[in-house]
Amino acid sequence: MPTFGAMKKTPLYNQHIEQGARCIEFGGYVMPVSYEGIKQEHQAVRTGAGIFDVSHMGEFFVTGKDASSFLQMLLINDVTACPPGKAQYTAMCQEDGGVIDDCLIYCRSEDEWLMVVNAANIDKDWEWVSHVKETHFSEADVTLENHSHRMGLLALQGPASFDLLQPLTDVEVASLPFYGFSMGTVCGVSDVWVATTGYTGEKGVELYIPTDDPGNIQAIWATLLEAGAVPCGLGARDTLRLEKGFNLYGQDMDETVSPLEARMGWVTKLEAGPFMGHQAIAAQKESGHYRRLVGFVMDEQRAIPRSGYDVVSNGETIGVVTSGTQSITLGQGIGMARLESPYGTSIKEGAKIGIVIRGESKPATVTNPPFVK
Amino acid sequence: MNTPDDVKYTKNHEWVRKHDDGTATVGITDFAQNELGDIVYVEVESEGESFELDAVFGSIEAVKTVSDLYCPMSGEVLEVNGELDGNPELVNEDPYGEGWIIKLKLSAPEEWDELLTAEGYQAIIS
C-alpha cells in the first residue's frame, strides 16, 4: 500500500477514507481516485449529480487598481471580456510561449480577482506571478495573495446539480449565467463563491469555501451527500473531461507546448496583448509551423489509447498520444494526440491514423472533440 | 483486502488454486482488482499456448490503466474464462471465484512450493 506520510491532505481526507475511497498522490496531495467505481461515478455526473473534492486546486487573489492590467500582462485571453460576476478560462505562458499553467479567473470587481490554478503548479505559478509583478508592475497598485491553503473547492456537477443545491443556498443558482458566479451562503456557511464552472461538460457549480475553519467544508460536503450527490474521484473527473475534450495540464500541455499546439487558440487573444509570451506565440501563428493537438476515436473495440503511445500514418511516427481512455459513455477508446508540424495541418477531421498499442498499430479516426455531445 | 487461504499468491498480484489433477486456476487478487479499478476487458493468449513461469500471458485494461498478466506457474492454457468477454467486471466483483482468468495444465507442479501463502502476500500489500 502506498504511504502518504509527507503528502498534503484536504480538509475532507478523513471523510474520504471513511467512505472507502481509494486514494492516490496527485499534485502533492492525497486525493480520492474513486469511491464505488469510476463507471458509476462517471454516470452519476452524466445523469444525476456527483460531487468532487478538488480542494487541492490553488487560489490566488489579485487585488488593487491595476489588477486588471496586471492580469492582461500575465494571461493570454482578453481580460476585458471577463466583467464582474463572470469567470474566464485562460492560461499563463513563458516568454517563449510555453504554457506555465491553464487557469480560471473570476472577476469580483475590476480591482478584485480570484485566479484558480492546478495543484501541482501552485509553487511554480506563485513564483511566476510574483516575478511578473516585480519585473513589470513593481510600482503598480497590485497585491497578490496565495490563499491555496485557506480555500477549499467542491465541484457539484451533473444535470440534477442545480435542483439539488438550490434548497441549500440563498444564491439563485438557475439565474447565474454560464461561467458566472455570486457570493452567498451554502448549507449555513457564508462567504462561499458559487460559480457555474466545472470540468465535466455538464451543468454544475463549483463552490469555493474558506477553510480557516475546516468544519465549514466538511459540513457542506456531508449535507450535499445527504441530499443525494454521489461522491466522485479523480478517475471519473479524468474520463468526464476527456469525453468533452478538455485539456489536462501535464499531459496535453506543459512548458514545452504553446497554447496554439494545445487546441487553446480560442483563448489566445493576441489583439488583447501584449502579454507574457505574446511575441513568440504571434510569430508561431504567423509561420504556421507548429504541432497540432487533435482528438481521435478508436475504430475497434478493445483498443484503449494511453498517454505516451505513438501515433503512426503510412508507417511513419507522426505524433504521440497525450491523453487516452475508454469513454464510458461511448464504450470506445478516445484520446488526444499531438501531431508533428507537417502532419498536423494535413491530417484533419475524418482522417485515419494508427495508435500503437503494445507494438500493434490500431486504427483510429481523427475526430474533433467533444467526443460526447 | 480479501486474501483467502485456499489459494497461493505471487508478488505480481496473481493467485493460483491448485487442483489434484495437475491443473490450476489463475486470477488476480482482490488487491489488484481494487488498484486497477473498473476493468474494461481482459485479453489473454488462446487455449493451447504454453507459458514459462513469470511470462506475460495477457493484459487487463481498466478505465484508468493497463496491466500485464504474469504466469504464476509454468504450463499450458487449458481454458480461458469466456464469461469475462461480456462481463469483465466479474474480475472486480468476484476475483477469486467467477472472475478467474485461465486454467493451466501445470508443467512444473513443484513451483507451487515457491508461491506466497496468504500471510506472505498480505505482508507485501500492507
Side-chain angles (χ1 to χ4, degrees), chain A residues 81-199:
Chain A
C82 185
K86 288 279 285 178
Q88 183 184 67
Y89 179 65
T90 182
M92 3 183 204
C93 293
Q94 300 174 154
E95 298 267 28
D96 70 0
V99 180
I100 293 173
D101 205 358
D102 62 336
C103 49
L104 283 182
I105 53 170
Y106 294 83
C107 179
R108 203 167 168 186
S109 71
E110 294 230 326
D111 50 15
E112 196 179 356
W113 299 75
L114 167 65
M115 187 173 160
V116 181
V117 303
N118 285 298
N121 295 338
I122 292 172
D123 293 344
K124 176 185 83 169
D125 290 353
W126 180 249
E127 245 174 69
W128 178 252
V129 298
S130 307
H131 167 78
V132 173
K133 178 177 181 290
E134 271 163 40
T135 51
H136 292 76
F137 278 75
S138 59
E139 302 297 314
D141 179 11
V142 183
T143 305
L144 299 174
E145 284 174 81
N146 184 354
H147 278 238
S148 301
H149 58 294
R150 303 177 55 187
M151 215 167 188
L153 173 56
L154 299 180
L156 178 66
Q157 303 278 298
S161 53
F162 285 16
D163 289 341
L164 192 147
L165 182 65
Q166 195 53 76
L168 304 167
T169 180
D170 59 358
V171 172
E172 265 196 62
V173 186
S175 66
L176 291 172
F178 178 59
Y179 263 58
F181 72 96
S182 182
M183 311 290 296
T185 298
V186 177
C187 307
V189 177
S190 53
D191 296 321
V192 175
W193 298 55
V194 180
T196 48
T197 48
Y199 193 44

Side-chain angles (χ1 to χ4, degrees), chain B residues 1-4 7-10 12-16 26-36 39 91-92 95-96 101 121 125:
Chain B
M1 289 303 145
N2 187 12
T3 52
V7 299
K8 287 181 105 175
Y9 300 86
T10 72
N12 296 319
H13 310 288
E14 271 102 24
W15 58 261
V16 190
V26 173
I28 66 164
T29 65
D30 189 29
F31 175 82
Q33 70 76 19
N34 188 58
E35 285 293 301
L36 284 168
I39 289 164
V91 179
N92 291 119
Y96 301 105
I101 295 171
Y121 179 63
I125 59 171

Side-chain angles (χ1 to χ4, degrees), chain A residues 1-2 22 24 33 36-40 234-235 238-239 301-304 306 309 324-326 328 357-358, chain B residues 1 31 34-43 59 61-66 68 85 88-89 124-126:
Chain A
M1 287 288 254
R22 198 165 67 76
I24 53 160
V33 67
E36 293 293 317
I38 293 175
K39 279 188 192 172
Q40 185 219 335
L234 295 182
D238 193 52
T239 54
Q301 296 286 310
R302 302 167 76 95
I304 305 178
R306 307 281 182 192
Y309 287 3
T325 194
Q326 171 84 349
I328 288 165
I357 300 180
R358 287 187 300 284
Chain B
M1 289 303 145
F31 175 82
N34 188 58
E35 285 293 301
L36 284 168
D38 299 70
I39 289 164
V40 183
Y41 67 84
V42 180
E43 186 153 294
S59 59
E61 292 267 10
V63 173
K64 199 77 190 131
T65 188
V66 60
D68 281 332
D85 241 8
E89 62 277 7
I124 286 180
I125 59 171
S126 58

Side-chain angles (χ1 to χ4, degrees), chain A residues 22-346:
Chain A
R22 198 165 67 76
C23 290
I24 53 160
E25 187 273 333
F26 186 86
Y29 281 78
V30 188
M31 298 301 292
V33 67
S34 69
Y35 300 80
E36 293 293 317
I38 293 175
K39 279 188 192 172
Q40 185 219 335
E41 293 162 29
H42 182 105
Q43 276 150 358
V45 172
R46 288 276 181 257
T47 60
I51 187 166
F52 302 80
D53 173 22
V54 278
S55 298
H56 59 318
M57 300 290 283
E59 291 85 9
F60 302 159
F61 280 98
V62 183
T63 53
K65 283 197 172 50
D66 299 315
S68 303
S69 349
F70 170 72
L71 288 173
Q72 191 59 74
M73 172 58 69
L74 187 71
L75 302 166
I76 63 172
N77 205 337
D78 181 359
V79 171
T80 62
C82 185
K86 288 279 285 178
Q88 183 184 67
Y89 179 65
T90 182
M92 3 183 204
C93 293
Q94 300 174 154
E95 298 267 28
D96 70 0
V99 180
I100 293 173
D101 205 358
D102 62 336
C103 49
L104 283 182
I105 53 170
Y106 294 83
C107 179
R108 203 167 168 186
S109 71
E110 294 230 326
D111 50 15
E112 196 179 356
W113 299 75
L114 167 65
M115 187 173 160
V116 181
V117 303
N118 285 298
N121 295 338
I122 292 172
D123 293 344
K124 176 185 83 169
D125 290 353
W126 180 249
E127 245 174 69
W128 178 252
V129 298
S130 307
H131 167 78
V132 173
K133 178 177 181 290
E134 271 163 40
T135 51
H136 292 76
F137 278 75
S138 59
E139 302 297 314
D141 179 11
V142 183
T143 305
L144 299 174
E145 284 174 81
N146 184 354
H147 278 238
S148 301
H149 58 294
R150 303 177 55 187
M151 215 167 188
L153 173 56
L154 299 180
L156 178 66
Q157 303 278 298
S161 53
F162 285 16
D163 289 341
L164 192 147
L165 182 65
Q166 195 53 76
L168 304 167
T169 180
D170 59 358
V171 172
E172 265 196 62
V173 186
S175 66
L176 291 172
F178 178 59
Y179 263 58
F181 72 96
S182 182
M183 311 290 296
T185 298
V186 177
C187 307
V189 177
S190 53
D191 296 321
V192 175
W193 298 55
V194 180
T196 48
T197 48
Y199 193 44
T200 62
E202 293 297 333
K203 188 175 179 180
V205 291
E206 293 190 300
L207 307 170
Y208 293 90
I209 304 154
T211 55
D212 285 344
D213 175 0
N216 288 338
I217 191 169
Q218 289 161 355
I220 294 176
W221 174 261
T223 307
L224 290 173
L225 287 187
E226 246 168 66
V230 173
C232 300
L234 295 182
R237 191 168 159 85
D238 193 52
T239 54
L240 287 159
R241 69 97 190 167
L242 194 49
E243 284 189 343
K244 296 291 178 177
F246 299 152
N247 287 3
L248 174 61
Y249 192 86
Q251 280 188 205
D252 304 306
M253 72 291 200
D254 59 30
E255 287 128 347
T256 67
V257 173
S258 84
L260 303 180
E261 296 174 311
R263 287 182 67 246
M264 294 171 72
W266 65 284
V267 290
T268 311
K269 301 288 164 59
L270 290 169
E271 66 284 2
F275 47 74
M276 304 306 287
H278 188 274
Q279 235 180 338
I281 297 167
Q284 193 179 58
K285 189 173 183 182
E286 186 161 332
S287 80
H289 296 305
Y290 54 89
R291 297 167 293 176
R292 302 293 200 281
L293 188 68
V294 300
F296 63 87
V297 177
M298 300 306 297
D299 292 345
E300 296 173 1
Q301 296 286 310
R302 302 167 76 95
I304 305 178
R306 307 281 182 192
S307 168
Y309 287 3
D310 279 342
V311 181
V312 293
S313 175
N314 297 321
E316 263 186 293
T317 300
I318 61 165
V320 66
V321 174
T322 55
S323 282
T325 194
Q326 171 84 349
S327 162
I328 288 165
T329 307
L330 304 175
Q332 243 172 323
I334 55 168
M336 295 204 278
R338 187 147 26 250
L339 306 184
E340 291 304 320
S341 164
Y343 308 105
T345 43
S346 56

